[in-house]
Amino acid sequence: RLLSPDALAEGLEPWLPGVERAHLLDLVPLLQERLPRLDAAPGLAAPLLGDPPWPDGIAWPPEKVDADTAAKLLDATMQEVEDGALDDVDELRERLGSLLEAQGVKPRIGFLVLYIAVLHSPQGVPVFQAMHVLGRERTLMRLRHARARLGVVG
């Protein structure tokens, strides 16, 4: 955590073989705060480097979020991403947080929907920054897949 971005990227190279230096530098801000040790990097970075399978054994939608709220959040997130919202993930987080609050769901709980949809895990690197790194098309693909798993709701 105390390493400079360049030094951390260099330290990650043996743990993330085949990842170009420029891409490692893109990953550093996401990994830096959540990386307890360098050997944890492959697990944290995996959803950003490949297309992980849908997780088995994880509730969908997550507990404390009903299917209707999950559908509204996924639909709103897809629209935002299509409209270019990944350029300012802080504003995106605020708008989607407001949507969740209007549904009576705390953003901290509701955003689990996005963690599972995008990272295929209820925890990991910051999900909004992850969407930015994944880019528009990969993010939309994961959101659409998660939305389809909810069925015809909303």
Side-chain angles (χ1 to χ4, degrees), residues 95-146:
R95 286 191 299 275
L96 294 175
S98 294
L99 179 145
L100 287 167
E101 288 171 352
Q103 295 292 310
V105 177
K106 293 180 181 178
R108 168 177 66 77
I109 300 297
F111 288 152
L112 289 174
V113 170
L114 297 180
Y115 271 89
I116 295 169
V118 174
L119 299 174
H120 295 175
S121 174
Q123 58 197 18
V125 298
V127 71
F128 291 97
Q129 288 82 353
M131 289 191 291
H132 178 78
V133 167
L134 286 169
R136 180 182 187 274
E137 294 309 315
R138 287 179 70 198
T139 297
L140 284 171
M141 178 184 69
R142 292 183 187 191
L143 293 169
R144 288 178 184 132
H145 182 252

Side-chain angles (χ1 to χ4, degrees), residues 8-76:
L8 182 55
E10 185 176 327
L12 290 171
E13 286 175 355
W15 297 101
L16 300 172
V19 178
E20 294 180 19
R21 177 76 171 189
H23 195 50
L24 280 174
L25 287 169
D26 288 342
L27 295 176
V28 163
L30 280 78
L31 299 175
Q32 197 158 24
E33 290 300 315
R34 288 188 165 72
L35 195 62
R37 297 180 324 267
L38 290 176
D39 64 352
L44 277 175
L48 302 170
L49 299 174
D51 289 316
W54 187 261
D56 290 329
I58 294 178
W60 184 247
E63 291 182 29
K64 299 183 183 179
V65 181
D66 62 73
D68 186 55
T69 300
K72 286 178 182 174
L73 177 60
L74 291 167
D75 291 344

